[in-house]
Amino acid sequence: MDVSALDEASLAGSAVDIGETMQAIAEHKGCGTSGGTGNASCGSQAGQGDLPTEIWEKVKNHPCYSEEAHHHYARMHVAVAPACNIQCNYCNRKYDCANESRPGVVSEKLTPEQAAKKVLAVASTIPQMTVLGIAGPGDPLANPEKTFKTFELVAKAAPDIKLCLSTNGLMLPDHVDTIARFKIDHVTITINMVQPEIGAKIYPWIFYNHKRYTGLEAAKILNDRQLQGLEMLTERGILCKINSVMIPGINDQHLVEVNKAVKSRGAFLHNIMPLIAAPEHGTVLGLNGQRAPTAQELKALQDLCEGETNMMRHCRQCRADAVGLLGEDRSAEFTTEKIMAMDVKYDLKMRKAYQAKVEEERVAKVAAEQEELAELGNEMSGVKLLVAVATKGSGLINEHFGHAKEFQVYELSTTGAKFVGHRRVDHYCRGGYGEEESLATIIRAINDCHAAFVAKIGGCPKSNLLKAGIEPVDQYAHEFIEKSAIAWFKSYLVKVQSGEIQHVERGEAAIRQGALISAA
Amino acid sequence: MPFKIIASQCSGCSACELECPNVAISEKGGTFVIDPKKCTECIGHFDEPQCVAVCPVDNTCVVDTSLPRYQARA
Ligand code: SF4
Ligand code: SF4
Ligand code: SF4
């Protein structure tokens, strides 16, 4: 790697030692996302386990930082920062930033005052909304005034809401102190490479110090600033999540290196997201016919990095003005027009009471799973398989097959049920045009699963699923996901052992490419 | 009028507005416009016209290439 030609000594990331605490956090393997593997020491469980208390307090009801929390708590994004300072080849700036959102989505832009009002309106309507994020479109730190003004207004009016921020990292080192002062305790940095040669294929240019840089030079400056920013944040005890976009043939293998680099600098969570690229998004990669990874390739890479850091597998690549539980979007209920007409009363007591109820639910869910798991304990089998679950949240199998906008995928083995991802699908039940076709799309999306758990399913889709080799399971309607999945798995193993059925591997599954434009 | 923004291409991202040293750029109906009376081509401030350097849509902040300053760049 020859980057010595660059005379950018002043930019080189200072190699600061990471404080011992942060090192300890980084070493917490398997946390954050491994909901229910029976690993009781994990940040994703309903209990604190052995996570340090300060960290547990930060993640326990943050839907992005805790897989387990994401079934129960909601987040919202406000789009106050449209300007950006770098160009990504998977992004078309007519739309929202693709680092967190799906390409091809346009969010409603707000002033900081409008944004603050929106936060209060949402918090009063959706008491489980605990997190406000600013993630673009654009880079929040390319618009520092608007970003920090919004945080300031929200912190004053709704002090219980956690603040978080997503950035490409270019301006991060300049703002770390402000971030700490505003008590923003979660920061996401998108890091797609730690090698300028690879970066040059992803970033055509950056705008830095009043100058446009291109090629290797641009990639090197960007990466130095990202890693320096990460070090500065973890030193101050601010939790960092790293997003990486997996681009087959460009950085897929390299992301293992990225994983090591960010882990050694104290990143709490690594979120490897699939590239979403279609020619109609007008992105450079989309127009070049760059393909997206398959669900298997994505999972294999996530599995490979899992031993190194906590992996996030529940990211929905939300829109920049998303509102609600992950996987759900209620932004249409909160348009600027509607918010401005609302008379908002912020009721902290009501929110607290509601959240206490959610906590009870979480504890009950884990207890039920542990009980079921205890019985599985003496089973011996190498069988490992995936199942798809239709859920509206709260950790329950409570969605009708035809209404599901996504399926959550769990990996079942004798060690338990582990959340490993989600598959976005179109509503099947819209009726009329293309019904057959959308059913086929759903089957493609969950084609690697052995069973689909639903609250209800019609006769026709049922027989289609069976034909595709996916067992429709509706006898656990409105029960806890993990507990039910383990119970089903037990009977599956019994049937395999008795020779009633044969265990076969399933095929590949596709990741849905289209932008989710409708806010439905 | 050395610089102007081609409105049909402007994404309305406001990046140029934040960078202009002369506050020459403002929003007008969702896209951005340059006030020719205020634009100094960034001369005396920076080596590159900032709106051109930061704009994500190529050839949207257009430079009058007949000016001597841009002959060398072309
Ligand atoms: S894009 Fe991913 S990290 Fe961001 S709010 Fe959505 S799920 Fe969380
Ligand atoms: S060239 Fe410079 S002064 Fe003129 S509009 Fe662009 S940024 Fe402003
Ligand atoms: S930077 Fe370009 S796209 Fe953005 S507002 Fe200015 S002219 Fe429009």
Side-chain angles (χ1 to χ4, degrees):
Chain A
M1 181 167 95
D2 179 23
V3 287
S4 51
L6 297 176
D7 185 22
E8 292 293 346
S10 63
L11 300 173
S14 57
V16 228
D17 271 337
I18 297 154
E20 257 170 47
T21 5
M22 284 302 115
Q23 197 64 53
I25 296 157
E27 274 156 19
H28 260 282
K29 291 176 191 170
C31 298
T33 54
S34 54
T37 48
N39 169 5
S41 68
C42 184
S44 71
Q45 304 281 321
Q48 175 179 348
D50 61 0
L51 267 187
T53 302
E54 327 85 80
I55 310 233
W56 170 242
E57 281 304 317
K58 283 181 186 170
V59 300
K60 73 169 187 204
N61 45 19
H62 194 307
C64 302
Y65 280 75
S66 159
E67 186 278 311
E68 207 278 324
H70 104 275
H71 299 281
H72 306 274
Y73 289 104
R75 55 71 186 100
M76 68 179 292
H77 289 167
V78 289
V80 293
C84 195
N85 45 16
I86 67 173
Q87 179 68 49
C88 309
N89 276 337
Y90 47 75
C91 179
N92 174 351
R93 297 298 318 285
K94 274 206 198 101
Y95 303 122
D96 283 357
C97 173
N99 285 331
E100 283 246 12
S101 326
R102 325 209 112 217
V105 174
V106 184
S107 298
E108 200 176 14
K109 283 162 202 129
L110 301 174
T111 64
E113 289 72 23
Q114 287 171 325
K117 173 124 197 236
K118 180 170 180 177
V119 174
L120 295 185
V122 173
S124 309
T125 318
I126 310 179
Q128 68 271 43
M129 195 279 287
T130 50
V131 173
L132 164 69
I134 300 185
D139 189 72
L141 299 180
N143 304 255
E145 289 82 15
K146 287 184 193 156
T147 299
F148 291 119
K149 180 80 201 170
T150 305
F151 282 141
E152 187 192 321
L153 293 172
V154 171
K156 224 182 274 161
D160 64 319
I161 290 179
K162 292 187 169 49
L163 307 176
C164 72
L165 168 86
S166 297
T167 174
N168 60 39
L170 181 61
M171 297 314 291
L172 186 54
D174 301 6
H175 296 289
V176 166
D177 287 330
T178 319
I179 289 170
R181 199 171 63 237
F182 276 81
K183 300 208 168 51
I184 295 165
D185 46 22
H186 305 82
V187 174
T188 300
I189 316 171
T190 298
I191 303 184
N192 294 319
M193 51 85 203
V194 288
Q195 233 180 60
E197 289 76 7
I198 292 170
K201 295 186 197 150
I202 303 173
Y203 305 104
W205 58 265
I206 66 168
F207 180 83
Y208 181 64
N209 271 345
H210 305 290
K211 209 168 127 37
R212 185 181 274 214
Y213 292 85
T214 57
L216 291 181
E217 196 181 9
K220 171 148 177 41
I221 295 170
L222 178 62
N223 190 237
D224 286 347
R225 299 276 293 174
Q226 289 172 331
L227 295 181
Q228 186 192 353
L230 171 60
E231 285 172 3
M232 291 171 72
L233 287 171
T234 53
E235 246 179 29
R236 286 164 178 75
I238 296 166
L239 287 189
C240 294
K241 166 160 79 63
I242 305 302
N243 279 357
S244 299
V245 179
M246 176 183 183
I247 314 172
I250 294 184
N251 72 346
D252 45 350
Q253 295 311 311
H254 179 64
L255 287 180
V256 177
E257 291 307 306
V258 171
N259 184 268
K260 287 195 187 116
V262 302
K263 186 210 165 185
S264 71
R265 288 170 176 83
F268 179 72
L269 196 62
H270 192 187
N271 175 20
I272 298 183
M273 312 185 290
L275 169 76
I276 296 177
E280 64 268 26
H281 300 147
T283 62
V284 171
L285 292 176
L287 294 170
N288 286 349
Q290 168 69 48
R291 74 171 179 90
T294 65
Q296 275 64 37
E297 289 170 326
L298 178 66
K299 181 172 179 295
L301 181 60
Q302 289 173 334
D303 288 348
L304 195 64
C305 295
E306 178 123 71
E308 300 288 330
T309 339
N310 310 325
M311 296 302 295
M312 176 176 188
R313 298 170 190 261
H314 58 283
C315 178
R316 300 301 198 282
Q317 296 167 279
C318 312
R319 2 181 334 138
D321 58 2
V323 173
L325 288 173
L326 302 190
E328 135 186 292
D329 189 356
R330 297 176 57 177
S331 55
E333 290 167 47
F334 301 98
T335 60
T336 313
E337 211 182 310
K338 289 184 193 161
I339 299 159
M340 288 304 138
M342 274 184 202
D343 180 26
V344 181
K345 260 207 246 80
Y346 193 71
D347 188 345
L348 189 60
K349 247 180 57 211
M350 179 272 279
R351 285 174 52 80
K352 285 253 161 72
Y354 188 94
Q355 290 173 17
K357 246 180 46 213
V358 172
E359 284 308 308
E360 279 173 30
E361 202 176 79
R362 289 174 75 174
V363 172
K365 186 185 103 150
V366 172
E369 182 193 357
Q370 293 301 344
E371 216 174 277
E372 201 66 48
L373 198 55
E375 283 181 50
L376 194 60
N378 22 13
E379 293 285 342
M380 287 291 284
S381 165
V383 173
K384 219 184 208 186
L385 54 82
L386 301 179
V387 297
V389 180
T391 172
K392 285 196 274 223
S394 301
L396 299 171
I397 303 168
N398 53 4
E399 185 66 295
H400 189 298
F401 178 81
H403 297 164
K405 281 182 287 229
E406 66 165 28
F407 286 89
Q408 299 193 351
V409 176
Y410 286 78
E411 186 173 69
L412 308 182
S413 69
T414 46
T415 56
K418 173 184 174 192
F419 176 92
V420 292
H422 57 89
R423 306 288 160 72
R424 188 169 277 181
V425 295
D426 286 305
H427 277 257
Y428 156 69
C429 216
R430 281 220 190 94
Y433 176 74
E435 212 167 89
E436 275 302 310
E437 201 182 311
S438 66
L439 187 53
T441 316
I442 296 177
I443 291 177
R444 268 201 298 282
I446 59 170
N447 189 41
D448 52 348
C449 297
H450 276 79
F453 287 68
V454 297
K456 219 175 166 180
I457 183 165
C460 166
K462 201 173 200 167
S463 68
N464 275 318
L465 277 183
L466 281 169
K467 241 182 275 163
I470 302 166
E471 181 188 336
V473 181
D474 57 6
Q475 75 258 37
Y476 299 105
H478 304 285
E479 293 187 30
F480 290 122
I481 298 172
E482 282 95 342
K483 173 185 178 335
S484 310
I486 296 168
W488 174 87
F489 185 62
K490 247 189 272 175
S491 65
Y492 181 88
L493 287 184
V494 170
K495 280 189 236 166
V496 170
Q497 268 152 18
S498 71
E500 186 185 334
I501 50 170
Q502 233 187 349
H503 177 67
V504 283
E505 300 290 328
R506 302 277 313 160
E508 292 251 313
I511 295 174
R512 186 183 181 282
Q513 287 300 295
L516 197 77
I517 302 204
S518 84
Chain B
M1 200 194 294
F3 284 87
K4 63 168 183 184
I5 290 168
I6 301 184
S8 63
Q9 301 191 71
C10 172
S11 73
C13 75
S14 81
C16 54
E17 182 193 18
L18 300 178
E19 297 302 331
C20 176
N22 295 312
V23 203
I25 306 178
S26 58
E27 187 174 348
K28 203 178 134 198
T31 57
F32 284 74
V33 290
I34 295 175
D35 179 349
K37 289 197 280 302
K38 290 188 184 161
C39 174
T40 60
E41 304 164 52
C42 287
I43 289 171
H45 285 281
F46 304 110
D47 293 342
E48 296 175 48
Q50 299 295 289
C51 53
V52 179
V54 78
C55 180
V57 192
D58 288 345
N59 306 317
T60 295
C61 299
V62 245
V63 181
D64 183 348
T65 44
S66 69
L67 286 165
R69 178 176 178 197
Y70 300 106
Q71 295 282 310
R73 283 167 56 102

